[in-house]
Amino acid sequence: MKFIIQRNRLIDSVQDVTKAVSSRTTIPILTGIKIIATEEGLTFTGSDSDISIESFIPKEENGDEIVEVQETGGIVLNAKFFSEIVRKLPMDTVEFEVSNHQQTLIRSGTAEFNLNGLDPDEYPYLPQIPEENVFSLSADLLKSLIRQTVFAVSASETRPILTGVNWIVEKNILTCTATDSHRLAMRTAPVEGAEENSFQAVIPGKSLVELSKILDGSNELVDIVITDNQVLFKFKNLLFFSRLLEGNYPDTSKLIPTDYKTQLVLPSKDFLHAIDRASLLTRGDRNNVVKLTTIEGNKIEISSTTPEVGTVVEQINTESIEGEELKISFSAKYMMDALKALEGTDTVISFTGAMRPFIMQSVHDDKILQLILPVRTF
Amino acid sequence: MKFIIQRNRLIDSVQDVTKAVSSRTTIPILTGIKIIATEEGLTFTGSDSDISIESFIPKEENGDEIVEVQETGGIVLNAKFFSEIVRKLPMDTVEFEVSNHQQTLIRSGTAEFNLNGLDPDEYPYLPQIPEENVFSLSADLLKSLIRQTVFAVSASETRPILTGVNWIVEKNILTCTATDSHRLAMRTAPVEGAEENSFQAVIPGKSLVELSKILDGSNELVDIVITDNQVLFKFKNLLFFSRLLEGNYPDTSKLIPTDYKTQLVLPSKDFLHAIDRASLLTRGDRNNVVKLTTIEGNKIEISSTTPEVGTVVEQINTESIEGEELKISFSAKYMMDALKALEGTDTVISFTGAMRPFIMQSVHDDKILQLILPVRTF
């Protein structure tokens, strides 16, 4: 294998595929990045066997030569060293040459690295995914979808299925749901190309977080293929594979109350800052509980008490309070997470009593729903 | 105690004095910040008993009222909670009121915090330092002095005296020396006001790092007072106290060679980047050793080998090579630290053989000297 490549393109591809590489793998070859040079260009692959990322650099792009492949072939190079080396090479072009016994020469200017590589034939194969039943949505929408739901997955492996986000596609509508059984985040969005098919998959939260880091905020389409045990995201010259979680995702539709006894409309930012302040004295405490009480004059009071430290209390003007008086306690962290996901200047919160889950939505957008279970404080 | 204060001034002072507060103190009251309100203004104090910082906010500045003291008095408030609270208060002014039993009300807009305070009389007294024998230098020069020497102090407590920087003032020249016995950094600078006095003190490296964080880059003068066991830095409305290290600092003057057998003049940046690249394969290794070899054509070769990973080699054009041929090995980390401290576009390195310490200086500035002990590699 022998090729010359533009350094900035090399950096981008190596950075992308390195996101899938774990230093704590039990399969030694997976600490490396696989590089394959063909007549068409270069393919880089990184994997921790849960997530695999493939980045392709074509020979030419818009008439510019990016890679000059002088000899096809392949090699696996240690991801940690390789990614540091490419970032620090002195010149704008880089030469690669693999000789016998996987000795790999990397030359840029007068700097020469000679790395011990591994045999690319020993690198595991990526899952083969038939490119049927593809649906699409834009990269920026996909990033929003992930951001607005993935924080609510369970951090505990007690019920592994809850560490993933449940994706359901039906009649060109994608519904993403995440819950850790104390709160729930749900977001719907239109997709393209799934008129006749429906899909369901539970995608690990960790995979979605990594995917989100690689996606840019453009409105270019991402193609998505869901199979029995894998999901593939195709974006520009990138392929992102993730295994799916096995098992049945709980039916969450029954959790969401459809009526309410008290409904508040609140300025989102003021409310978020007040919750943040009210939780200051309980930081570090797992149960950083704050109390919300409706008071006279369309106001609410946010308060919190930590006996050894002190108390905090603050009033906020609401846009409106409908229904019964209310006194309810909840996790400040869950509330702040939900408010940050909701977007929009005003938030509607619908309560069905101090002991029942309540739901939050943006005033002008019902595509996002956040649900929180209150905390008993007596 | 009762006062109203501008929030941004409160944030600055609390942030400054918090730098001295350690959460791991064995003296509970030192987890707090002491606030004293007098007719003249407010004084904030933080301390971990090694370092103490005092910040004064005057009643008025340039005709603007900053603090309105309605009732004098004092309180000690938990530094962690207090500094988070002041950063997140909603309005531009803040009211404080201490009632019986050190209950402290902090009000800003509709947000009210009620904190349990501690008795300010139980807070330890700061050292009393007579303001005689003061010398001065500008804040920006002091920051440079610290940055260019403090990295070379010892990280190990085996010889506690080496964890400090040795300051000697003689005939209005300050000399700062730090060494961990594998390398040495020395910097001299003119000071004002010490014509007739000479001083010597070993200041803990940790104290200098904290001081450097508080100093801005201005050319305003910092007044310095050295006593038997304390040093005081006075800057604007800040007092920064540090205890001194006890014991005799070793005589380092004999370590510095005065002649040389090989002398290189090198472009500093190219050399730094080459050392950085040569050390990439040894990262994580405590002894990240690189080799420097003089070669033909006024060039040097930088190289490094890590058997399991690979090799790296790079040539650099020097400005000049005088004297004997040389092959020498040294710590890449020490070399990069020294080069970053030196400043200037070109560096002179004077060697007296592969087994002897070598010194580095900037071509046009002999105020900074860096010394490194080579590593035996055979």
Side-chain angles (χ1 to χ4, degrees), chain A residues 277-294:
Chain A
R277 281 189 285 272
S279 72
L280 282 178
L281 304 186
T282 57
R283 284 286 156 81
D285 190 351
R286 265 188 68 237
N287 309 304
N288 59 344
V289 172
V290 297
K291 188 184 282 181
L292 181 157
T293 314
T294 54

Side-chain angles (χ1 to χ4, degrees), chain A residues 154-198:
Chain A
S154 174
S156 137
E157 289 286 338
T158 326
R159 287 179 68 189
I161 195 81
L162 295 187
T163 62
V165 181
N166 190 27
W167 281 36
I168 296 173
V169 181
E170 250 167 22
K171 293 178 188 149
N172 263 346
I173 298 290
L174 167 63
T175 305
C176 303
T177 310
T179 181
D180 60 6
S181 78
H182 302 290
R183 51 152 165 199
L184 175 148
M186 190 170 85
R187 162 87 205 246
T188 60
V191 296
E192 291 173 28
E195 288 79 6
E196 286 158 27
N197 292 300
S198 57

